[in-house]
Amino acid sequence: MPLALYLLAVAVFAMGTSEFMLAGLLPDIAADLGVTVATAGLLTSAFAVGMVVGAPLTAGLARRWPRRPALLGLLGLFLAAHVVGALTGDFTVLLATRTIAALANAGFLAVALTTAADLVPSGRKGRALAVLLGGTTVATIAGVPGGALLGTLFGWRAAFWAVALLCLPAALGIARGVPAGNGRQDAAPGLRRELAELRRPRLALALLLGALVDAATFGTFTFLDPLVTGAAAPAPLWVPVVLVLFGLGSFAGVTVAGRLSDRRPAVVVLAGGPLLLGGWVALGLTAPHPVAVLVLAFTQGALSFGVGSTLVARVLYEAAGAPTMAGAYATAALNVGAAAGPVIAGATLTTSLGERGPVWAGSVLVAVVLLLALPFRRALGYGGRTAPHP
């Protein structure tokens, strides 16, 4: 894999830390700013909505821009949003900074995904995606628990400052290692033609399934803190431990799936999907037992990101006719789920299900994925590479 790909992963690590770290900070933010935990969960949804809107919008505007300046400008905007977020005492302002940071993150990830796909041969997009998303999974291993620990020891604002500082070495790596040109974008088809790719059923299926898996992942992950400190009832410092295990599982899942998603994507989805569903059900049933929560945090991280990254790779393959917008489509799919998941999961917290509600909501979403995937398994590339589309 090219060095530039790993340098992009460093920036994705910084952004992934920001996107996921609220899972360990929501109760503190809610208490400090005078809102409920469910309302504070809207910070995650606002971030995701910003990414859904920002991915196609920014990718469309920046499709002819030189990649290095585009990536650096978007990373700078992301840094500035976190500085303002760390300083504000108003929930509305914080919500706005999360949206702005998400717009920057969306544009960055859309350009980065397209760049990653262009840096490798056409049959290795899944491997390239695994490297890039490795930055996200490392964020769940180190950055997110680190943010939770900083929040526990020094307050939630310290985590925002830490993310801002992480952007600096990421920017240096991009400036030194990412090619400045447009790659294959100069020969890309017109924007109208690229947008028309969204009408293709196979691409629409990959987008829908990816969004549903991500909704289950984000909906549960966002409210892991109440689950761990409520149903499982260990000390609050156990929350970073659970997040680390989820992150380690995520890294393992992305790494293994990256080696399979180019050739046998349906095997990953149709074998990993039922295991993912079973794991969420098991977590819902065994949540009062700390040991079970620790074990399932790892396995669910692996399965969620393994299945999810495979579906994102399918989006990149199926959107081959949209070379400058494919990354935006993948980013939007991820974050439609990330926006809807916490809203759905948060609504269950006030029901009789309590802190286990998000887990059961995730179970239902994965069940829908399986019901949709089974009849269309050939469209997922069952048994080998997906045939080139007309």
Side-chain angles (χ1 to χ4, degrees), residues 29-77:
I29 292 174
D32 187 28
L33 301 183
V35 297
T36 66
V37 172
T39 299
L42 293 176
L43 293 170
T44 299
S45 295
F47 197 96
V49 168
M51 290 195 71
V52 171
V53 174
L57 178 62
T58 309
L61 292 173
R63 62 196 303 266
R64 303 293 185 185
W65 295 357
R67 286 178 174 167
R68 186 193 298 161
L71 291 168
L72 288 173
L74 291 165
L75 187 59
L77 179 61

Short mmCIF file of all heavy atoms in Angstrom, two decimals, residues 29-77:
data_model
loop_
_atom_site.label_atom_id
_atom_site.label_comp_id
_atom_site.label_asym_id
_atom_site.label_seq_id
_atom_site.Cartn_x
_atom_site.Cartn_y
_atom_site.Cartn_z
N ILE A 29 -21.16 16.22 29.31
CA ILE A 29 -21.62 17.36 28.51
C ILE A 29 -23.04 17.74 28.92
O ILE A 29 -23.36 18.93 29.08
CB ILE A 29 -21.55 17.02 27.01
CG1 ILE A 29 -20.09 16.87 26.56
CG2 ILE A 29 -22.25 18.10 26.18
CD1 ILE A 29 -19.93 16.40 25.13
N ALA A 30 -23.90 16.73 29.08
CA ALA A 30 -25.29 17.00 29.47
C ALA A 30 -25.35 17.73 30.81
O ALA A 30 -26.09 18.71 30.96
CB ALA A 30 -26.07 15.69 29.53
N ALA A 31 -24.57 17.27 31.79
CA ALA A 31 -24.59 17.89 33.11
C ALA A 31 -24.03 19.30 33.07
O ALA A 31 -24.56 20.22 33.71
CB ALA A 31 -23.78 17.04 34.08
N ASP A 32 -22.97 19.52 32.30
CA ASP A 32 -22.31 20.83 32.24
C ASP A 32 -23.18 21.87 31.54
O ASP A 32 -23.24 23.03 31.95
CB ASP A 32 -20.97 20.69 31.55
CG ASP A 32 -20.15 21.97 31.59
OD1 ASP A 32 -20.31 22.76 32.54
OD2 ASP A 32 -19.33 22.20 30.67
N LEU A 33 -23.87 21.45 30.47
CA LEU A 33 -24.63 22.40 29.66
C LEU A 33 -26.12 22.40 29.97
O LEU A 33 -26.90 23.10 29.32
CB LEU A 33 -24.40 22.12 28.17
CG LEU A 33 -22.94 22.20 27.70
CD1 LEU A 33 -22.85 21.99 26.20
CD2 LEU A 33 -22.32 23.55 28.08
N GLY A 34 -26.54 21.60 30.96
CA GLY A 34 -27.91 21.63 31.42
C GLY A 34 -28.93 21.03 30.47
O GLY A 34 -30.04 21.56 30.33
N VAL A 35 -28.57 19.91 29.82
CA VAL A 35 -29.52 19.21 28.95
C VAL A 35 -29.57 17.74 29.37
O VAL A 35 -28.75 17.29 30.16
CB VAL A 35 -29.10 19.33 27.46
CG1 VAL A 35 -29.12 20.78 27.00
CG2 VAL A 35 -27.72 18.71 27.23
N THR A 36 -30.53 16.99 28.83
CA THR A 36 -30.61 15.57 29.13
C THR A 36 -29.58 14.80 28.32
O THR A 36 -29.05 15.30 27.32
CB THR A 36 -32.01 15.02 28.81
OG1 THR A 36 -32.21 15.08 27.38
CG2 THR A 36 -33.09 15.82 29.51
N VAL A 37 -29.32 13.56 28.73
CA VAL A 37 -28.37 12.72 27.99
C VAL A 37 -28.91 12.45 26.58
O VAL A 37 -28.15 12.45 25.60
CB VAL A 37 -28.11 11.40 28.74
CG1 VAL A 37 -27.27 10.45 27.89
CG2 VAL A 37 -27.41 11.67 30.07
N ALA A 38 -30.21 12.21 26.46
CA ALA A 38 -30.79 11.98 25.14
C ALA A 38 -30.62 13.20 24.25
O ALA A 38 -30.32 13.07 23.05
CB ALA A 38 -32.27 11.61 25.28
N THR A 39 -30.79 14.40 24.80
CA THR A 39 -30.57 15.62 24.02
C THR A 39 -29.11 15.76 23.64
O THR A 39 -28.78 16.13 22.50
CB THR A 39 -31.03 16.86 24.82
OG1 THR A 39 -32.43 16.75 25.09
CG2 THR A 39 -30.77 18.14 24.03
N ALA A 40 -28.22 15.47 24.57
CA ALA A 40 -26.79 15.52 24.26
C ALA A 40 -26.44 14.55 23.14
O ALA A 40 -25.52 14.80 22.35
CB ALA A 40 -25.97 15.21 25.51
N GLY A 41 -27.18 13.43 23.04
CA GLY A 41 -26.95 12.49 21.96
C GLY A 41 -27.18 13.09 20.59
O GLY A 41 -26.67 12.58 19.58
N LEU A 42 -27.92 14.20 20.52
CA LEU A 42 -28.13 14.89 19.25
C LEU A 42 -26.83 15.45 18.69
O LEU A 42 -26.73 15.73 17.49
CB LEU A 42 -29.15 16.02 19.42
CG LEU A 42 -30.58 15.58 19.73
CD1 LEU A 42 -31.46 16.81 19.96
CD2 LEU A 42 -31.14 14.72 18.61
N LEU A 43 -25.81 15.63 19.54
CA LEU A 43 -24.51 16.08 19.05
C LEU A 43 -23.93 15.06 18.06
O LEU A 43 -23.31 15.43 17.06
CB LEU A 43 -23.54 16.28 20.22
CG LEU A 43 -23.88 17.42 21.18
CD1 LEU A 43 -22.98 17.36 22.41
CD2 LEU A 43 -23.75 18.78 20.49
N THR A 44 -24.14 13.78 18.35
CA THR A 44 -23.69 12.74 17.43
C THR A 44 -24.52 12.77 16.15
O THR A 44 -23.98 12.65 15.04
CB THR A 44 -23.81 11.35 18.10
OG1 THR A 44 -22.97 11.34 19.26
CG2 THR A 44 -23.39 10.25 17.15
N SER A 45 -25.82 12.94 16.29
CA SER A 45 -26.68 13.00 15.11
C SER A 45 -26.37 14.23 14.26
O SER A 45 -26.37 14.15 13.03
CB SER A 45 -28.15 13.02 15.53
OG SER A 45 -28.50 11.82 16.16
N ALA A 46 -26.11 15.38 14.91
CA ALA A 46 -25.78 16.59 14.16
C ALA A 46 -24.50 16.40 13.37
O ALA A 46 -24.38 16.84 12.22
CB ALA A 46 -25.63 17.78 15.13
N PHE A 47 -23.53 15.72 13.97
CA PHE A 47 -22.29 15.44 13.27
C PHE A 47 -22.57 14.58 12.04
O PHE A 47 -22.07 14.83 10.95
CB PHE A 47 -21.32 14.73 14.21
CG PHE A 47 -19.89 14.74 13.75
CD1 PHE A 47 -18.99 15.70 14.22
CD2 PHE A 47 -19.43 13.78 12.86
CE1 PHE A 47 -17.68 15.70 13.80
CE2 PHE A 47 -18.12 13.78 12.42
CZ PHE A 47 -17.23 14.74 12.89
N ALA A 48 -23.39 13.56 12.23
CA ALA A 48 -23.70 12.66 11.13
C ALA A 48 -24.50 13.36 10.03
O ALA A 48 -24.25 13.16 8.84
CB ALA A 48 -24.46 11.45 11.65
N VAL A 49 -25.47 14.19 10.42
CA VAL A 49 -26.25 14.93 9.42
C VAL A 49 -25.34 15.85 8.62
O VAL A 49 -25.45 15.96 7.39
CB VAL A 49 -27.38 15.73 10.09
CG1 VAL A 49 -28.01 16.71 9.11
CG2 VAL A 49 -28.44 14.79 10.64
N GLY A 50 -24.41 16.52 9.30
CA GLY A 50 -23.46 17.38 8.60
C GLY A 50 -22.63 16.60 7.61
O GLY A 50 -22.31 17.08 6.51
N MET A 51 -22.29 15.37 7.94
CA MET A 51 -21.51 14.55 7.02
C MET A 51 -22.35 14.06 5.85
O MET A 51 -21.86 13.97 4.72
CB MET A 51 -20.88 13.38 7.77
CG MET A 51 -19.78 13.81 8.73
SD MET A 51 -18.73 12.46 9.29
CE MET A 51 -17.81 12.08 7.80
N VAL A 52 -23.61 13.74 6.12
CA VAL A 52 -24.50 13.31 5.03
C VAL A 52 -24.65 14.42 4.00
O VAL A 52 -24.55 14.21 2.79
CB VAL A 52 -25.88 12.90 5.58
CG1 VAL A 52 -26.86 12.67 4.44
CG2 VAL A 52 -25.75 11.64 6.42
N VAL A 53 -24.90 15.64 4.48
CA VAL A 53 -25.08 16.79 3.58
C VAL A 53 -23.74 17.21 2.98
O VAL A 53 -23.63 17.50 1.78
CB VAL A 53 -25.72 17.97 4.34
CG1 VAL A 53 -25.78 19.20 3.46
CG2 VAL A 53 -27.11 17.58 4.82
N GLY A 54 -22.71 17.21 3.83
CA GLY A 54 -21.42 17.74 3.39
C GLY A 54 -20.70 16.86 2.41
O GLY A 54 -19.94 17.37 1.56
N ALA A 55 -20.88 15.55 2.48
CA ALA A 55 -20.13 14.65 1.59
C ALA A 55 -20.41 14.93 0.12
O ALA A 55 -19.49 15.24 -0.64
CB ALA A 55 -20.41 13.20 1.95
N PRO A 56 -21.67 14.83 -0.35
CA PRO A 56 -21.90 15.11 -1.77
C PRO A 56 -21.71 16.58 -2.13
O PRO A 56 -21.22 16.90 -3.22
CB PRO A 56 -23.35 14.67 -1.99
CG PRO A 56 -23.97 14.68 -0.64
CD PRO A 56 -22.89 14.37 0.33
N LEU A 57 -22.08 17.49 -1.20
CA LEU A 57 -21.95 18.92 -1.49
C LEU A 57 -20.49 19.30 -1.68
O LEU A 57 -20.10 19.92 -2.69
CB LEU A 57 -22.58 19.73 -0.36
CG LEU A 57 -22.48 21.26 -0.49
CD1 LEU A 57 -23.22 21.73 -1.73
CD2 LEU A 57 -23.02 21.93 0.76
N THR A 58 -19.65 18.94 -0.71
CA THR A 58 -18.25 19.31 -0.78
C THR A 58 -17.53 18.58 -1.90
O THR A 58 -16.70 19.16 -2.61
CB THR A 58 -17.55 19.01 0.56
OG1 THR A 58 -18.30 19.58 1.61
CG2 THR A 58 -16.14 19.57 0.58
N ALA A 59 -17.86 17.30 -2.08
CA ALA A 59 -17.22 16.55 -3.16
C ALA A 59 -17.58 17.13 -4.53
O ALA A 59 -16.75 17.20 -5.43
CB ALA A 59 -17.63 15.08 -3.09
N GLY A 60 -18.85 17.57 -4.67
CA GLY A 60 -19.25 18.18 -5.93
C GLY A 60 -18.53 19.49 -6.19
O GLY A 60 -18.09 19.77 -7.32
N LEU A 61 -18.35 20.30 -5.13
CA LEU A 61 -17.66 21.57 -5.29
C LEU A 61 -16.16 21.40 -5.52
O LEU A 61 -15.54 22.17 -6.25
CB LEU A 61 -17.90 22.44 -4.05
CG LEU A 61 -19.33 22.95 -3.82
CD1 LEU A 61 -19.44 23.65 -2.48
CD2 LEU A 61 -19.73 23.89 -4.95
N ALA A 62 -15.60 20.38 -4.87
CA ALA A 62 -14.14 20.21 -4.89
C ALA A 62 -13.66 19.18 -5.90
O ALA A 62 -12.48 18.83 -5.90
CB ALA A 62 -13.65 19.82 -3.49
N ARG A 63 -14.56 18.69 -6.76
CA ARG A 63 -14.19 17.58 -7.64
C ARG A 63 -13.07 17.93 -8.60
O ARG A 63 -12.35 17.04 -9.08
CB ARG A 63 -15.42 17.06 -8.40
CG ARG A 63 -16.08 18.06 -9.32
CD ARG A 63 -17.48 17.62 -9.71
NE ARG A 63 -17.50 16.32 -10.34
CZ ARG A 63 -17.46 16.14 -11.67
NH1 ARG A 63 -17.35 17.19 -12.47
NH2 ARG A 63 -17.50 14.94 -12.17
N ARG A 64 -12.86 19.19 -8.92
CA ARG A 64 -11.78 19.59 -9.82
C ARG A 64 -10.64 20.30 -9.08
O ARG A 64 -9.70 20.77 -9.71
CB ARG A 64 -12.32 20.53 -10.90
CG ARG A 64 -13.44 19.94 -11.74
CD ARG A 64 -13.00 18.79 -12.61
NE ARG A 64 -14.05 18.30 -13.48
CZ ARG A 64 -13.95 17.24 -14.28
NH1 ARG A 64 -12.81 16.56 -14.30
NH2 ARG A 64 -14.96 16.86 -15.02
N TRP A 65 -10.74 20.41 -7.76
CA TRP A 65 -9.69 21.08 -7.00
C TRP A 65 -8.47 20.16 -6.88
O TRP A 65 -8.60 18.94 -6.83
CB TRP A 65 -10.16 21.42 -5.59
CG TRP A 65 -11.27 22.43 -5.54
CD1 TRP A 65 -11.84 23.10 -6.57
CD2 TRP A 65 -11.95 22.85 -4.35
NE1 TRP A 65 -12.84 23.91 -6.11
CE2 TRP A 65 -12.93 23.79 -4.75
CE3 TRP A 65 -11.84 22.53 -3.00
CZ2 TRP A 65 -13.78 24.41 -3.85
CZ3 TRP A 65 -12.69 23.15 -2.10
CH2 TRP A 65 -13.64 24.08 -2.53
N PRO A 66 -7.27 20.74 -6.77
CA PRO A 66 -6.10 19.92 -6.41
C PRO A 66 -6.33 19.28 -5.05
O PRO A 66 -6.81 19.92 -4.12
CB PRO A 66 -4.96 20.95 -6.37
CG PRO A 66 -5.42 22.07 -7.23
CD PRO A 66 -6.91 22.14 -7.05
N ARG A 67 -5.98 18.03 -4.94
CA ARG A 67 -6.37 17.28 -3.75
C ARG A 67 -5.66 17.74 -2.48
O ARG A 67 -6.28 17.81 -1.42
CB ARG A 67 -6.10 15.79 -3.99
CG ARG A 67 -7.14 15.20 -4.94
CD ARG A 67 -6.86 13.76 -5.23
NE ARG A 67 -7.94 13.19 -6.02
CZ ARG A 67 -7.88 12.04 -6.64
NH1 ARG A 67 -6.77 11.33 -6.58
NH2 ARG A 67 -8.90 11.59 -7.33
N ARG A 68 -4.38 17.99 -2.55
CA ARG A 68 -3.67 18.35 -1.32
C ARG A 68 -4.21 19.64 -0.71
O ARG A 68 -4.53 19.65 0.49
CB ARG A 68 -2.17 18.47 -1.60
CG ARG A 68 -1.36 18.69 -0.30
CD ARG A 68 0.06 19.13 -0.62
NE ARG A 68 0.77 18.13 -1.37
CZ ARG A 68 1.87 18.38 -2.09
NH1 ARG A 68 2.33 19.61 -2.18
NH2 ARG A 68 2.48 17.41 -2.74
N PRO A 69 -4.34 20.74 -1.46
CA PRO A 69 -4.93 21.95 -0.85
C PRO A 69 -6.35 21.73 -0.34
O PRO A 69 -6.73 22.28 0.71
CB PRO A 69 -4.91 22.97 -2.00
CG PRO A 69 -3.85 22.49 -2.92
CD PRO A 69 -3.89 21.00 -2.83
N ALA A 70 -7.14 20.92 -1.05
CA ALA A 70 -8.51 20.66 -0.60
C ALA A 70 -8.50 19.94 0.75
O ALA A 70 -9.23 20.32 1.68
CB ALA A 70 -9.25 19.83 -1.64
N LEU A 71 -7.66 18.92 0.87
CA LEU A 71 -7.58 18.17 2.12
C LEU A 71 -7.08 19.05 3.27
O LEU A 71 -7.61 18.99 4.39
CB LEU A 71 -6.66 16.96 1.94
CG LEU A 71 -7.20 15.85 1.03
CD1 LEU A 71 -6.09 14.85 0.70
CD2 LEU A 71 -8.38 15.13 1.67
N LEU A 72 -6.08 19.87 3.01
CA LEU A 72 -5.53 20.74 4.06
C LEU A 72 -6.54 21.80 4.50
O LEU A 72 -6.68 22.10 5.69
CB LEU A 72 -4.24 21.40 3.59
CG LEU A 72 -3.03 20.49 3.47
CD1 LEU A 72 -1.85 21.23 2.83
CD2 LEU A 72 -2.62 19.94 4.84
N GLY A 73 -7.27 22.38 3.55
CA GLY A 73 -8.26 23.40 3.90
C GLY A 73 -9.39 22.82 4.74
O GLY A 73 -9.83 23.43 5.73
N LEU A 74 -9.84 21.64 4.38
CA LEU A 74 -10.92 21.00 5.13
C LEU A 74 -10.46 20.59 6.53
O LEU A 74 -11.20 20.73 7.51
CB LEU A 74 -11.43 19.78 4.36
CG LEU A 74 -12.17 20.12 3.06
CD1 LEU A 74 -12.30 18.88 2.18
CD2 LEU A 74 -13.54 20.71 3.37
N LEU A 75 -9.23 20.14 6.64
CA LEU A 75 -8.69 19.78 7.95
C LEU A 75 -8.54 21.02 8.83
O LEU A 75 -8.80 20.96 10.04
CB LEU A 75 -7.34 19.08 7.78
CG LEU A 75 -6.70 18.50 9.05
CD1 LEU A 75 -7.60 17.47 9.69
CD2 LEU A 75 -5.33 17.89 8.72
N GLY A 76 -8.16 22.16 8.24
CA GLY A 76 -8.06 23.40 9.01
C GLY A 76 -9.41 23.86 9.55
O GLY A 76 -9.51 24.32 10.69
N LEU A 77 -10.44 23.73 8.74
CA LEU A 77 -11.79 24.09 9.20
C LEU A 77 -12.23 23.18 10.34
O LEU A 77 -12.84 23.64 11.32
CB LEU A 77 -12.77 23.99 8.03
CG LEU A 77 -14.23 24.32 8.33
CD1 LEU A 77 -14.39 25.75 8.83
CD2 LEU A 77 -15.10 24.08 7.08
#
